[in-house]
Amino acid sequence: MPGWSSPKMAPPGRVQRLLLLVSLSARLYFAHGIKSPINTNDNLPDNAEIAKNPGGPLQDVKLAAVAGGAAPPPPRRSSGWKLAEEEACREDLARLCPKHSWSNNLAVLECLQDRKEETELASDCNHLLWNYKRNLTTDPKFESVAVEVCKSTLTDNKECAGEERGKGYLVSCLVDHRINITEYQCNQYITKMATIIFSDFRLICGFMDRCLDDINALHCGSVSTGEKDVHSQGEVIACLEKGLVSEVEDRADHYVIKEDCKKAIMRVAELSSDDFHLDRHLYFACRDDRERFCENTPAGEGRVYKCLFNHKFEDSMSTKCREALSTRQKLIAQDYKVSYSLAKACKQDLRKYRCNVDTTLPRGREAKLSYLLLCLESAVHRGRVVSGECQGEMLDYRRMLMEDFSLSPEIVLHCRGEIDTHCSGLHHKGRTLHCLMRVSRDKGSMDTLCQKSLQTLIQETDPGADYRIDRALNEACESVIQTACKHIRNGDPMILSCLMEHLYTDKMVEDCERRLLELQYFISRDWKLDPILYRKCQNDAARICHTHGWNETSEFMPAGAVFSCLYRHAYRTEEQGRRDSSEQQGDAGLSRDCKTEVQRILHQRALDVKLDPDLQKRCMTDLGKWCSEKTEPGQELECLQDHLEDLGTDCRDVVGNLTELESEDIQIEALLIRACEPVIQSHCHEVADNQIDTGDLMECLVLNKHQKEMNEKCAVGVTHFQLIQMKDFRFSYKFKMACKEDVLKLCPNIKKKVDVVICLSTMVRNDTLQEVKDQRVSMKCRRQLRVEELEMSEDIRLDPDLYDSCRQDIKDHCQNVAYGNAQVIECLKDNKKHVSQRCHQKLFKLQETEMMDPELDFQLMRVCKQMIRRFCSEADPKNMLQCLKQNKNSELMDPKCKQMITKRQITQNTDYRLNPVLRKACKADIPKFCQQILNKAKDDDELEGQVVSCLKLKYADQRLSPDCEDQIRVILQESALDYRLDPQLQLQCSDEIPRLCAEEVAAQEQTGQVEECLKVNLLKIKHEGCKKEVLNILKESKADIFVDPVLHTACALDIKHQCAAIPPGRGRQMSCLMEALQDKRVRLQPECKKRLQDRIDMWSYAAKVAPAEGFSDLAGQVLSSPAKNYILSMMSMCVVLLFLMGLLCGRITKRVTQELKDRKLGHPCTVNGLHSQARKRKDYAPLT
């Protein structure tokens, strides 16, 4: 590495430094009794002379003068002069240093200069030591010592061996390469020299020349003699280092240090990187803390530094030491070489991956810790081999950067305002950085440069690769990791994924949740920060999304753009815009591994809209406008989906696209999947296990929404998604894929799903009714259309038109009724007489559709599910209700289902249009006999049974077609048992039934007792309309005994014995019973006889009360009478008798008339008589 050098002495590209050369006695460096293998005293300058003669390049004054008048030491032999024997230091030596060290000048020097900070030396001793060290460093004989002790090193290191001798270059070169010195004696020699030189900046050759101006400008000036210990002037270097840090952080009124001095400062820091004793300021500041935290940590190779760094934020760490450590860390951030262990561990990897030869970067940039980390992390993420030792060092320094924001000058510079406003007092353990992350995530209004600085720092530290780098996250989530993620290896990138999977679960704790989302907010904005995703998708991203390398960024690519590109290709093909499900697509889609990772990320990030950069950016305004109060997990996206029509264009597009993806892969909705876990495990595990979900899982959840395993959260979530699907048919993946072509061809420009379903289903129904051979809607679309229709029938909210029409009616009549299970729809049906006209019309249309297709009647299908399996498993779905009606009175019929069938029968009888079978059977009869009623009818409004009543009367008159007659007979039989099935009777007798037949109504036997009660109390009925309906019942009962259940029950045995051969209908069996009643030879059952006599009396009364209104009515009554044969016979006899009487009377009257005529003609007294007689005469001739 380039160092710094003297302008006069250093060759180009070489840093000149002349380190002090220490005097090595016979026990060099081994102050504690260990002997050196070499004797350097013979080679070193005379110690006494050095002490006596301070002359040299730094100082010319004599020692006595420098020492303030102290007498110079007497001349001694070079091998015997001892510092301990000098009068100036004897007292201090006896007070501070152990006796066994007195014989070694170097040990004495080390002891005195490393004394406690509060302990002062005598002024004479201070200056004696100073001159001793100064003269040592300027004596060229030390170079000869270096040559002798470093022979092997110089043999191997040709660069140092070739240095010019006599100028100090050799020793400077050896210090430059000391981390590579393996020769023990040489290493110890060079190391010990460094302990002396770093005790005073003025002893470093060239440092004073380069930094004097900066020292004066920053007021770091050296301490005057006598004011302070002159060998502890590491304070000066520390002051310069702080000035350099201030410049980097662009603090207010900072001073710009000269480049030469900057290099000198960084070089001093680098040379002191292996042993913390060499950083004199830090050594004195942290001496007690070292004893407290790192007592067992040996010095050398930067181990004490690292130990102190790890304890930097301990509460018991002194403030002065913490500040000194921070300064040291900031220097490391500016030049990684200031960290001995990092530079040594990563030296080969840096060279291997050319991390320090990037000529495209600004000068000095390649030395920054951030660049080193990015370069080596890029190699790791590309699958290259980086030594484990280097990766360990990188991990330590990445953690260091995450713990202390102040180590990143860009953060300090650009985020100063945010820190002061929101994050003051949170300096420790990465809390400030997490505070800034939270501000960026929650406020969304952070300064752009600050946001960019944070994003860069997250990339440099790469906590996604190892959560332990983020100390705040690590501490907050430790308990969660131990419980939920204990199966994952410590430090594995999947730990973060595991934590995301347990977000908002019972295992997650609040502090961990907060820290995790703060970090994920930034990871989500750079796809490279998820190491698993990057590893699996880097080739796909480069091929499809045109990405750069791991440590390269593009300012033109917005946050999250690469991941958006990936998930678009994970779920779509280039041509069809959909899932690339075929391997033949080749380069059009993503690899299988990449798809899996993209799906994993989507599933995790759907938990929070802020983890989707594109969504948050485009919907920021809409989130504030519509969803400011939605703070619970998942509520923001649901809110945006609910207000889809109200959103801005950009926001609507991105929300629509995300919803479309959810319809294809509902597992993106992680919260919903968690809530629905019991249902999935019980009913949908087969589709849930599929790697590719094409809407099957949501369809399964909808079908099983009412299973006992379904909890409220799951039901609400599934229903919400169904409601969202109504907004756009694209949101129903299976429906869209099945019917896309049909929609484009048959229902263009229709977007809402409900409108598309109505459009397509109308075409299907019309084609079916018209028996079109080739239907317009494709088969696959018809199948899926059926599924959608069935799903929509479950909740009124899934039919927006009906829901909007009945919204107020729901509040008025069904406020406490829960949605789902079609309960609200059923409630509205029960209250349809009280709902608004608009709602009533929509309900009528719905009921008409349900009666034509009973499968769409959700309540009927749900309540009668088991009965359908029992009785109608082979029945046509269109005839399901008809089948249930036929089995309604079976002993095996479930009571609840029977009740539901009765409700549907009541509905059908209110209007013939709600009974498809009747409507078809009586297609010709209805306009023929009931046109007057149809003329008064309104569309979408019930006729209250008027048409059915009309047909009943015609049935009594036996004027209906056979098919229609069969259907009316069924209706008559059913309504005879249950008065509620006769809408007109119920309407007209609403007051009379409670008054006259309360007990029968309360019994709820549905055996015709209410009708029988009304018949018996016919004379007591006051309401004319009710009386008329009862009379109609009596009239209808003449036509068929089955219409009179009470009479039929009473006479069942007699019918079997007397009328077994007579087919039912058209009053035949009733006539048989009446004839049997008249035949004295036949003995009927007493109850039957009594009931028949009662019916005769009732019919007689009915004839009196309601005489025939015309000849046709009279003829109808006669024909419908059980005694019609008798009546017709009597009428025939009367006619014959009248005819005979006519003939007889005709002859008599003719004779009488003739006689009278003759009399009149033969009388002579009359003119006529005279004329008559005259005409008889032969000779008569009239007068002219």
Side-chain angles (χ1 to χ4, degrees):
M1 280 184 197
W4 48 270
S5 58
S6 171
K8 297 180 180 179
M9 301 175 66
R14 173 126 210 81
V15 176
Q16 185 206 345
R17 65 189 63 77
L18 184 59
L19 290 175
L20 51 111
L21 299 177
V22 277
S23 171
L24 296 178
S25 61
R27 290 166 291 185
L28 175 64
Y29 187 65
F30 301 93
H32 299 286
I34 304 174
K35 294 184 178 181
S36 173
I38 60 174
N39 187 349
T40 59
N41 283 340
D42 295 335
N43 300 317
L44 295 177
D46 188 280
N47 289 324
E49 188 63 29
I50 290 174
K52 290 189 293 181
N53 182 17
L58 296 178
Q59 186 174 332
D60 284 329
V61 295
K62 291 183 179 180
L63 179 59
V66 173
R76 300 177 187 270
R77 294 183 325 165
S78 63
S79 59
W81 184 82
K82 305 292 183 186
L83 275 173
E85 297 176 0
E86 294 300 325
E87 186 68 27
C89 293
R90 189 174 300 165
E91 183 179 346
D92 294 312
L93 189 67
R95 181 165 51 89
L96 299 173
C97 301
K99 286 187 177 181
H100 64 77
S101 65
W102 291 6
S103 59
N104 188 322
N105 289 341
L106 192 58
V108 171
L109 178 62
E110 185 175 11
C111 170
L112 292 177
Q113 73 178 11
D114 288 352
R115 72 195 184 284
K116 294 279 185 184
E117 194 171 306
E118 61 274 8
T119 305
E120 293 187 4
L121 296 178
S123 178
D124 289 348
C125 183
N126 258 328
H127 295 303
L128 177 66
L129 295 175
W130 158 255
N131 282 284
Y132 177 66
K133 291 189 296 181
R134 176 182 177 277
N135 289 327
L136 279 175
T137 59
T138 57
D139 197 311
K141 292 183 180 180
F142 277 91
E143 194 170 88
S144 62
V145 177
V147 170
E148 183 174 341
V149 298
C150 297
K151 287 181 180 178
S152 299
T153 301
L154 290 174
T155 302
D156 297 333
N157 194 323
K158 303 300 182 183
E159 181 182 352
C160 294
E163 292 288 359
E164 184 181 355
R165 304 298 171 88
K167 296 185 178 181
Y169 294 164
L170 174 63
V171 177
S172 177
C173 179
L174 288 173
V175 173
D176 260 349
H177 294 85
R178 79 179 190 278
I179 61 174
N180 297 320
I181 296 177
T182 56
E183 191 176 1
Y184 181 76
Q185 297 169 357
C186 181
N187 185 280
Q188 294 298 315
Y189 175 73
I190 297 297
T191 299
K192 185 50 67 176
M193 285 194 297
T195 63
I196 297 176
I197 184 172
F198 285 104
S199 66
D200 196 317
F201 73 96
R202 291 173 297 183
L203 300 179
I204 303 173
C205 181
F207 185 90
M208 189 67 176
D209 296 333
R210 299 179 184 198
C211 294
L212 181 61
D213 294 339
D214 300 292
I215 291 173
N216 293 329
L218 291 169
H219 306 289
C220 297
S222 56
V223 179
S224 300
T225 302
E227 294 181 6
K228 193 174 180 182
D229 177 8
V230 291
H231 336 242
S232 298
Q233 295 191 49
E235 303 286 346
V236 177
I237 295 179
C239 176
L240 289 171
E241 290 173 345
K242 290 178 181 177
L244 178 59
V245 169
S246 297
E247 180 185 342
V248 171
E249 294 176 353
D250 197 22
R251 295 180 185 173
D253 301 325
H254 67 273
Y255 171 77
V256 179
I257 298 176
K258 293 185 299 184
E259 283 298 320
D260 284 346
C261 184
K262 285 180 185 177
K263 292 178 181 179
I265 294 170
M266 296 305 294
R267 186 56 182 162
V268 168
E270 179 186 344
L271 294 174
S272 62
S273 63
D274 63 335
D275 191 346
F276 95 113
H277 292 86
L278 305 183
D279 188 331
R280 303 305 293 172
H281 171 70
L282 187 144
Y283 170 75
F284 284 115
C286 297
R287 183 158 42 180
D288 294 338
D289 297 286
R290 189 266 171 98
E291 295 299 322
R292 186 180 302 114
F293 298 112
C294 310
E295 181 180 5
N296 298 321
T297 303
E301 298 189 351
R303 287 186 288 263
V304 176
Y305 284 128
K306 289 185 66 174
C307 176
L308 290 172
F309 289 160
N310 291 335
H311 293 86
K312 175 179 170 182
F313 290 115
E314 298 288 342
D315 294 334
S316 55
M317 174 70 73
S318 66
T319 303
K320 190 172 182 181
C321 179
R322 184 179 293 122
E323 291 175 353
L325 290 171
S326 294
T327 301
R328 184 85 191 177
Q329 289 175 320
K330 291 174 184 178
L331 293 176
I332 294 174
Q334 293 304 306
D335 189 341
Y336 73 91
K337 291 175 290 184
V338 177
S339 170
Y340 176 88
S341 57
L342 179 64
K344 180 181 179 182
C346 297
K347 182 176 182 180
Q348 297 300 323
D349 297 293
L350 289 170
R351 183 180 296 115
K352 181 178 180 180
Y353 299 114
R354 303 176 63 82
C355 293
N356 50 3
V357 293
D358 194 339
T359 57
T360 64
L361 293 171
R363 183 174 179 178
R365 164 78 186 274
E366 68 274 8
K368 285 193 174 183
L369 176 63
S370 59
Y371 179 72
L372 173 143
L373 293 176
L374 288 173
C375 179
L376 293 179
E377 284 167 12
S378 175
V380 172
H381 286 297
R382 293 198 307 268
R384 309 294 173 81
V385 178
V386 174
S387 67
E389 186 180 3
C390 180
Q391 289 197 50
E393 289 295 325
M394 290 168 59
L395 180 66
D396 290 338
Y397 283 97
R398 284 153 59 193
R399 184 187 294 118
M400 180 186 78
L401 291 175
M402 279 294 291
E403 279 188 357
D404 192 348
F405 79 95
S406 66
L407 305 185
S408 303
E410 295 81 7
I411 301 289
V412 176
L413 175 61
H414 301 304
C415 300
R416 191 172 296 148
E418 285 79 2
I419 293 173
D420 293 342
T421 305
H422 303 286
C423 308
S424 58
L426 297 174
H427 186 74
H428 294 356
K429 302 178 183 179
R431 294 173 187 165
T432 303
L433 281 175
H434 268 277
C435 174
L436 290 172
M437 293 179 194
R438 183 170 64 255
V439 171
S440 178
R441 178 178 180 272
D442 296 342
K443 305 294 182 183
S445 57
M446 178 175 282
D447 178 77
T448 304
L449 290 175
C450 179
Q451 176 89 13
K452 186 176 180 180
S453 300
L454 277 172
Q455 192 71 46
T456 302
L457 177 62
I458 299 298
Q459 184 181 4
E460 292 169 0
T461 55
D462 195 17
D466 191 336
Y467 73 97
R468 296 172 299 179
I469 293 169
D470 189 341
R471 182 172 178 179
L473 175 70
N474 188 12
E475 292 181 357
C477 297
E478 184 176 3
S479 61
V480 182
I481 294 170
Q482 293 301 319
T483 55
C485 310
K486 59 184 178 181
H487 60 286
I488 303 176
R489 179 178 56 83
N490 197 24
D492 193 286
M494 285 303 294
I495 291 285
L496 275 184
S497 181
C498 174
L499 290 174
M500 286 298 294
E501 289 171 4
H502 288 85
L503 195 63
Y504 306 127
T505 64
D506 295 337
K507 293 183 179 180
M508 180 59 65
V509 296
E510 183 179 356
D511 194 29
C512 176
E513 178 181 297
R514 186 169 61 252
R515 301 292 188 211
L516 182 62
L517 287 175
E518 289 163 1
L519 178 61
Q520 284 290 347
Y521 176 82
F522 283 86
I523 291 178
S524 67
R525 276 147 180 77
D526 189 344
W527 75 289
K528 298 175 293 188
L529 299 183
D530 188 307
I532 304 173
L533 176 68
Y534 182 79
R535 185 170 67 249
K536 297 293 181 64
C537 295
Q538 57 180 318
N539 293 330
D540 294 303
R543 173 172 51 86
I544 296 173
C545 307
H546 311 294
T547 58
H548 303 278
W550 190 89
N551 59 336
E552 299 174 19
T553 57
S554 172
E555 297 181 357
F556 301 102
M557 189 170 288
V562 175
F563 185 72
S564 296
C565 168
L566 289 174
Y567 81 63
R568 283 197 302 273
H569 284 82
Y571 285 87
R572 305 172 185 177
T573 61
E574 291 180 352
E575 297 156 351
Q576 299 177 357
R578 292 316 316 144
R579 175 183 290 280
D580 176 25
S581 58
S582 172
E583 294 296 333
Q584 297 177 355
Q585 295 289 337
D587 294 339
L590 304 182
S591 64
R592 184 179 297 275
D593 288 344
C594 183
K595 278 184 185 178
T596 302
E597 285 307 306
V598 170
Q599 290 171 351
R600 173 183 69 85
I601 299 297
L602 268 178
H603 295 171
Q604 293 176 357
R605 294 182 183 175
L607 295 169
D608 193 324
V609 296
K610 293 172 183 173
L611 299 183
D612 188 331
D614 194 30
L615 178 65
Q616 189 189 28
K617 179 181 178 181
R618 297 194 188 188
C619 296
M620 183 67 69
T621 303
D622 293 292
L623 281 168
K625 183 177 181 181
W626 303 106
C627 310
S628 57
E629 297 180 358
K630 303 294 183 180
T631 58
E632 294 298 318
Q635 284 188 344
E636 287 179 313
L637 180 57
E638 288 183 1
C639 173
L640 290 173
Q641 290 172 331
D642 290 338
H643 291 86
L644 188 65
E645 297 86 352
D646 305 317
L647 303 179
T649 304
D650 289 345
C651 182
R652 184 167 59 247
D653 290 343
V654 70
V655 172
N657 291 336
L658 182 57
T659 307
E660 193 174 350
L661 287 181
E662 287 181 348
S663 72
E664 181 177 356
D665 183 4
I666 193 59
Q667 295 193 54
I668 292 175
E669 279 276 10
L671 293 176
L672 176 63
I673 297 303
R674 289 176 192 169
C676 296
E677 188 66 26
V679 184
I680 294 174
Q681 291 299 322
S682 300
H683 303 283
C684 307
H685 60 277
E686 292 182 359
V687 293
D689 293 339
N690 293 340
Q691 287 189 345
I692 300 177
D693 179 19
T694 55
D696 296 321
L697 181 55
M698 175 52 71
E699 187 174 291
C700 178
L701 289 173
V702 171
L703 291 175
N704 293 279
K705 194 161 69 168
H706 305 290
Q707 298 290 346
K708 61 181 180 180
E709 293 85 0
M710 177 66 70
N711 56 59
E712 183 180 359
K713 283 187 177 180
C714 181
V716 169
V718 172
T719 301
H720 175 267
F721 198 78
Q722 287 180 282
L723 295 175
I724 297 304
Q725 288 179 329
M726 292 295 105
K727 297 177 183 291
D728 195 321
F729 82 95
R730 295 181 301 120
F731 297 165
S732 299
Y733 177 73
K734 298 195 76 171
F735 179 56
K736 175 183 61 179
M737 296 307 294
C739 298
K740 182 168 58 177
E741 296 178 359
D742 299 89
V743 172
L744 293 174
K745 181 174 66 174
L746 304 173
C747 307
N749 304 321
I750 298 179
K751 186 175 182 180
K752 289 187 177 180
K753 178 182 174 181
V754 64
D755 296 334
V756 172
V757 170
I758 292 173
C759 171
L760 294 175
S761 60
T762 301
M763 293 185 179
V764 171
R765 183 174 61 182
N766 292 340
D767 289 349
T768 303
L769 293 175
Q770 295 172 14
E771 298 181 354
V772 176
K773 185 176 181 181
D774 296 325
Q775 293 205 8
R776 289 172 289 178
V777 181
S778 64
M779 177 59 72
K780 65 176 181 179
C781 181
R782 292 204 301 271
R783 291 197 192 100
Q784 191 60 35
L785 185 63
R786 187 66 179 168
V787 174
E788 301 301 329
E789 289 176 329
L790 293 175
E791 289 182 6
M792 288 170 61
S793 67
E794 183 266 338
D795 194 320
I796 190 173
R797 294 172 297 180
L798 301 180
D799 187 343
D801 193 24
L802 176 62
Y803 182 58
D804 292 340
S805 300
C806 298
R807 194 184 296 266
Q808 187 59 45
D809 300 287
I810 294 172
K811 292 181 181 179
D812 295 340
H813 305 292
C814 309
Q815 188 172 9
N816 298 322
V817 179
Y819 291 102
N821 274 338
Q823 294 179 89
V824 173
I825 296 177
E826 198 66 24
C827 172
L828 291 172
K829 290 177 181 177
D830 294 340
N831 292 276
K832 65 180 179 180
K833 293 182 180 179
H834 309 293
V835 300
S836 63
Q837 181 66 22
R838 185 184 175 199
C839 179
H840 193 283
Q841 291 175 350
K842 297 297 181 182
L843 279 175
F844 181 81
K845 294 297 292 183
L846 174 65
Q847 289 178 317
E848 188 176 6
T849 303
E850 289 177 347
M851 293 304 176
M852 293 180 64
D853 190 350
E855 272 195 317
L856 300 180
D857 189 340
F858 187 87
Q859 273 283 8
L860 175 69
M861 301 303 291
R862 185 183 71 85
V863 174
C864 296
K865 185 176 182 179
Q866 296 301 325
M867 296 301 102
I868 291 172
R869 291 179 181 174
R870 175 173 293 171
F871 298 111
C872 309
S873 58
E874 297 180 0
D876 186 339
K878 302 289 184 182
N879 299 323
M880 196 66 67
L881 180 57
Q882 196 71 14
C883 172
L884 290 171
K885 284 159 62 175
Q886 292 170 359
N887 294 277
K888 170 184 170 183
N889 296 315
S890 170
E891 293 180 356
L892 299 176
M893 177 59 68
D894 177 66
K896 291 183 178 180
C897 180
K898 183 176 181 179
Q899 185 179 4
M900 182 59 66
I901 296 170
T902 301
K903 288 181 69 173
R904 295 301 179 258
Q905 287 179 295
I906 294 172
T907 299
Q908 282 190 326
N909 290 345
T910 59
D911 197 305
Y912 77 98
R913 291 170 292 183
L914 300 180
N915 190 334
V917 178
L918 175 67
R919 188 176 185 178
K920 181 178 180 181
C922 300
K923 186 176 182 181
D925 300 86
I926 292 173
K928 180 178 179 181
F929 300 113
C930 310
Q931 187 62 47
Q932 188 176 0
I933 299 173
L934 297 179
N935 293 337
K936 297 179 181 178
K938 297 180 180 179
D939 292 339
D940 307 331
D941 197 1
E942 288 98 335
L943 297 172
E944 297 298 342
Q946 295 180 63
V947 172
V948 177
S949 295
C950 168
L951 293 173
K952 287 179 181 179
L953 292 174
K954 301 308 174 186
Y955 173 82
D957 296 339
Q958 300 178 5
R959 301 174 64 184
L960 299 177
S961 63
D963 290 342
C964 184
E965 186 176 282
D966 291 340
Q967 292 302 316
I968 293 298
R969 182 186 303 114
V970 173
I971 292 174
L972 284 169
Q973 292 171 357
E974 292 171 345
S975 60
L977 293 171
D978 190 345
Y979 77 98
R980 296 172 300 172
L981 299 182
D982 190 335
Q984 281 295 309
L985 177 66
Q986 195 173 15
L987 178 66
Q988 299 295 337
C989 300
S990 57
D991 296 329
E992 304 293 346
I993 291 175
R995 182 172 66 85
L996 300 173
C997 310
E999 293 182 5
E1000 288 78 0
V1001 172
Q1004 296 184 348
E1005 293 182 358
Q1006 299 176 7
T1007 55
Q1009 295 300 319
V1010 175
E1011 289 85 345
E1012 186 66 18
C1013 170
L1014 290 173
K1015 294 173 186 176
V1016 171
N1017 292 282
L1018 181 60
L1019 298 176
K1020 299 179 182 180
I1021 295 176
K1022 298 177 181 179
H1023 191 279
E1024 290 299 322
C1026 180
K1027 185 179 292 185
K1028 183 178 179 181
E1029 288 301 319
V1030 176
L1031 292 172
N1032 287 340
I1033 292 174
L1034 288 170
K1035 180 180 177 181
E1036 294 157 4
S1037 66
K1038 290 181 181 181
D1040 197 332
I1041 192 170
F1042 287 97
V1043 179
D1044 193 335
V1046 175
L1047 179 62
H1048 182 265
T1049 302
C1051 298
L1053 191 59
D1054 296 296
I1055 293 173
K1056 184 177 181 181
H1057 291 160
Q1058 307 297 331
C1059 311
I1062 299 174
R1066 295 185 177 271
R1068 288 184 287 263
Q1069 290 186 341
M1070 183 67 77
S1071 298
C1072 173
L1073 288 174
M1074 293 302 294
E1075 290 174 1
L1077 180 64
Q1078 299 297 327
D1079 192 343
K1080 294 181 179 180
R1081 295 173 298 175
V1082 178
R1083 296 186 63 180
L1084 299 176
Q1085 295 293 321
E1087 183 66 20
C1088 178
K1089 189 173 182 179
K1090 179 180 179 299
R1091 293 293 180 183
L1092 280 173
Q1093 193 61 53
D1094 289 342
R1095 293 300 180 268
I1096 293 173
D1097 294 340
M1098 290 177 186
W1099 293 331
S1100 176
Y1101 176 75
K1104 294 177 183 178
V1105 174
E1109 298 178 356
F1111 180 79
S1112 60
D1113 194 12
L1114 177 61
Q1117 289 185 13
V1118 171
L1119 292 173
S1120 63
S1121 173
K1124 68 176 182 179
N1125 293 332
Y1126 174 76
I1127 295 172
L1128 291 174
S1129 299
M1130 293 303 295
M1131 289 178 65
S1132 299
M1133 288 177 64
C1134 291
V1135 171
V1136 170
L1137 182 60
L1138 288 173
F1139 178 74
L1140 293 174
M1141 289 177 65
L1143 288 177
L1144 181 61
C1145 291
R1147 286 180 174 275
I1148 295 172
T1149 54
K1150 183 177 181 182
R1151 186 180 303 121
V1152 172
T1153 304
Q1154 185 64 42
E1155 289 179 352
L1156 289 174
K1157 288 182 178 180
D1158 291 344
R1159 286 176 186 173
K1160 291 180 180 179
L1161 290 173
H1163 199 282
C1165 294
T1166 62
V1167 174
N1168 290 333
L1170 291 173
H1171 282 287
S1172 174
Q1173 291 178 358
R1175 281 193 297 270
K1176 291 179 179 180
R1177 290 172 62 185
K1178 296 180 179 179
D1179 55 349
Y1180 171 75
L1183 295 173
T1184 58

